[in-house]
Amino acid sequence: MLSAHPGDFLTMGILDKITETSPVEDDIHFLMVVARLSGPRSTPTEPLWIAHAIAGLHHKMLADKKEPSRFWPVRVADMFSLLLKRDPALGPALVVAPNFNLPDHAVFAQRLEPVEQPLAARILLKALQRRAGLLPPHPDLPVGELAAKTIIPPWTAELVAFLAVLPDDRLFPALRQQWTQTSIQDAILRVLARAPQPDDRVRFVTALGSFQPAVVELAAKSLAKLDGEATPTELAAALASLRRHCAAPREKAARTALADLLAKWSDQPIAITEAGDLVKAYDPWFDWFAKTHPAAAKELLGGDEDTAAFLKRLPAIAWDSGDAKRGQQLYEERACHRCHSTSTRIGPDLTGVASRLSREDLFIAILDPSRDISPTYLPKLVTTKSGGSHTGFMVYDSPTAKLVQTGPDTTVRLLGDEVAGVVDTRVSLMPTGLLAGLKDTEVADFYAFLKTLRK
């Protein structure tokens, strides 16, 4: 933190209370007080003081191992916006602050003026890469900042969205380095999709398995722009995604994009009319795949995932042969951990779930997540005056703005006058199709892992 500033100015007297050891809660309080003060800045150095204090909030949270509340990012970002209105010089001061180097700092950078954001993005990206050891340390970096490299928090979806202001040749290589971080793959895909490149083909295929329909739509459209013959595995990935989206009638845009992709890959002009049973409407694609690639169809797509049909398989499964390590890999590949690693607003902690529910009831809950939704996890359907809709949980709700969590790492911010209505919905955010294509041995592995989640 900057050294104490002598003087009797009111603002600086408040900022003097923010030190290296002051609690982060106190820092936020004092910054909010300053944000509501009127009049010009007390001294020319005031923006530097405030910028250092703002960036220091997340550093203190990390050092104290504190987890922010759901409302915390919105509230501190709104506070930063008030401070910016009070003194526009705060934006440039934040960008050059030596402690402006954490993924969560994107929540502030997003509030900068558009002309300031590209520079902020370049500086923040370089700082993050230095902390991760991907770039040599800055020669002027203080010793304390070098030591701070030992704490490397993961990237966030908000950071990826902010860095999108950078040009492709600067940003895409950095995003590819972060692809193994599954929690931000959807956010990365949204950026890569603006200029599909052959190097990202496998990433787009992986994204066909996303449980965000908009991401699946982007991935399918991106793959359709790339040359190259599709492999049976790629075709199976597209068809598995298509079958999953047939279980959600409102996701027509994703189904259309997948069908268009299959038409290009197969060179088959199969016309689809959506009427009645969607699964039957798209049967011609699955029939074509079964005839053209019978082995791949049996291996990769499996059978019908009707709940009753799946339950009939359970008595014949050799449960004692299940391997928990392989089951954990399946659990992570199917992104279950993104909603169930801890008890969150999106999904409950699964610790002890195999002892609380019978094996049959557990698989029913996975196969048909909307069948019996706990009131705790009952989502909202938010409609907008423009005709849009968002399903999720209300993270922030006020007359002027609403923040809807639509997935484990995605939120939608709506102004109060954009919203047409908010109602409960009985459709779970947990997608169907999570067990699609699993062989009996894999089902045993999956269950073996769930049994290890004990209290």
Side-chain angles (χ1 to χ4, degrees):
M1 190 66 64
L2 298 176
S3 59
H5 182 279
D8 297 326
F9 297 102
L10 176 60
T11 301
M12 296 311 299
I14 296 172
L15 293 176
D16 282 345
K17 299 179 183 297
I18 301 177
T19 68
E20 292 286 359
T21 57
S22 57
V24 67
E25 296 87 355
D26 290 353
D27 294 355
I28 294 172
H29 168 73
F30 293 128
L31 286 168
M32 285 183 171
V33 171
V34 172
R36 285 162 173 76
L37 292 177
S38 59
R41 70 171 75 114
S42 297
T43 72
T45 60
E46 181 184 307
L48 298 175
W49 278 66
I50 297 177
H52 200 94
I54 285 285
L57 296 176
H58 288 95
H59 283 283
K60 287 187 175 182
M61 296 282 283
L62 274 175
D64 295 341
K65 297 182 179 180
K66 293 181 177 179
E67 291 292 332
S69 70
R70 300 184 190 281
F71 300 102
W72 197 82
V74 175
R75 287 175 175 169
V76 296
D78 287 344
M79 174 188 70
F80 180 65
S81 293
L82 288 174
L83 288 165
L84 281 174
K85 289 181 180 179
R86 182 176 179 272
D87 189 351
L90 176 58
L94 176 69
V95 172
V96 299
N99 58 346
F100 178 66
N101 55 16
L102 294 178
D104 283 325
H105 287 158
V107 73
F108 302 126
Q110 289 173 332
R111 300 298 182 98
L112 298 175
E113 292 294 329
V115 296
E116 297 173 338
Q117 291 186 6
L119 175 61
R122 289 196 299 272
I123 291 175
L124 185 55
L125 179 57
K126 282 187 177 181
L128 291 169
Q129 290 176 325
R130 288 193 183 103
R131 289 177 68 87
L134 300 175
L135 289 177
H138 193 283
D140 297 329
L141 196 65
V143 174
E145 291 299 316
L146 284 170
K149 287 200 306 179
T150 56
I151 301 176
I152 306 175
W155 282 31
T156 63
E158 291 77 14
L159 172 66
V160 175
F162 171 67
L163 294 179
V165 300
L166 294 174
D168 298 349
D169 59 350
R170 178 73 180 89
L171 180 58
F172 282 18
L175 294 181
R176 291 168 185 142
Q177 289 175 333
Q178 298 295 323
W179 181 254
T180 55
Q181 189 179 326
T182 57
S183 63
I184 59 171
Q185 284 184 349
D186 285 352
I188 291 175
L189 189 282
R190 293 177 190 274
V191 180
L192 296 179
R194 73 189 186 191
Q197 298 179 11
D199 288 346
D200 296 315
R201 184 183 183 98
V202 66
R203 296 179 180 88
F204 290 128
V205 172
T206 299
L208 294 177
S210 170
F211 295 115
Q212 293 292 328
V215 172
V216 172
E217 181 184 354
L218 277 175
K221 289 181 176 179
S222 297
L223 285 166
K225 295 176 182 178
L226 299 177
D227 295 329
E229 185 175 350
T231 65
T233 300
E234 291 174 335
L235 288 165
L239 284 163
S241 183
L242 177 60
R243 184 171 62 183
R244 191 173 70 247
H245 285 86
C246 284
R250 67 177 181 272
E251 306 302 348
K252 183 175 181 178
R255 290 193 297 274
T256 300
L258 289 164
D260 290 344
L261 174 63
L262 289 167
K264 179 186 176 181
W265 275 353
S266 65
D267 199 25
Q268 297 292 311
I270 298 178
I272 300 294
T273 300
E274 290 199 357
D277 189 330
L278 289 174
V279 175
K280 291 182 178 179
Y282 284 91
D283 266 349
W285 278 118
F286 296 95
D287 294 341
W288 168 83
F289 187 62
K291 293 176 182 178
T292 309
H293 303 283
K298 182 178 180 179
E299 178 70 17
L300 297 175
L301 292 179
D304 191 342
E305 203 188 56
D306 173 76
T307 300
F310 186 92
L311 294 178
K312 289 180 180 179
R313 296 168 53 189
L314 300 187
I317 292 177
W319 298 105
D320 292 339
S321 66
D323 185 288
K325 288 185 177 180
R326 292 197 301 264
Q328 182 176 4
Q329 184 177 355
L330 288 168
Y331 182 83
E332 294 175 353
E333 285 177 353
R334 309 235 161 179
C336 304
H337 64 291
R338 295 175 64 185
C339 297
H340 298 289
S341 57
T342 59
S343 184
T344 69
R345 193 69 180 88
I346 296 294
D349 186 353
L350 295 185
T351 300
V353 68
S355 60
R356 294 196 305 270
L357 298 176
S358 69
R359 184 186 296 148
E360 180 174 300
D361 287 342
L362 177 55
F363 281 107
I364 288 175
I366 298 172
L367 291 163
D368 190 3
S370 297
R371 178 172 178 170
D372 186 19
I373 307 177
S374 165
T376 305
Y377 298 100
L378 192 66
K380 302 286 187 182
L381 176 63
V382 183
T383 55
T384 64
K385 293 177 182 177
S386 62
S389 64
H390 305 279
T391 302
F393 300 100
M394 204 67 70
V395 177
Y396 180 77
D397 190 2
S398 76
T400 58
K402 299 183 188 298
L403 190 65
V404 185
Q405 186 169 2
T406 58
D409 55 11
T410 56
T411 56
V412 176
R413 184 181 176 87
L414 300 170
L415 297 178
D417 57 5
E418 294 182 89
V419 177
V422 180
V423 297
D424 290 337
T425 176
R426 299 297 304 181
V427 179
S428 173
L429 280 189
M430 180 174 169
T432 58
L434 288 172
L435 302 178
L438 292 188
K439 295 177 286 188
D440 287 356
T441 54
E442 292 173 316
V443 173
D445 294 340
F446 189 78
Y447 185 66
F449 171 70
L450 294 180
K451 289 195 298 182
T452 67
L453 303 177
R454 297 171 181 157
K455 293 183 179 180

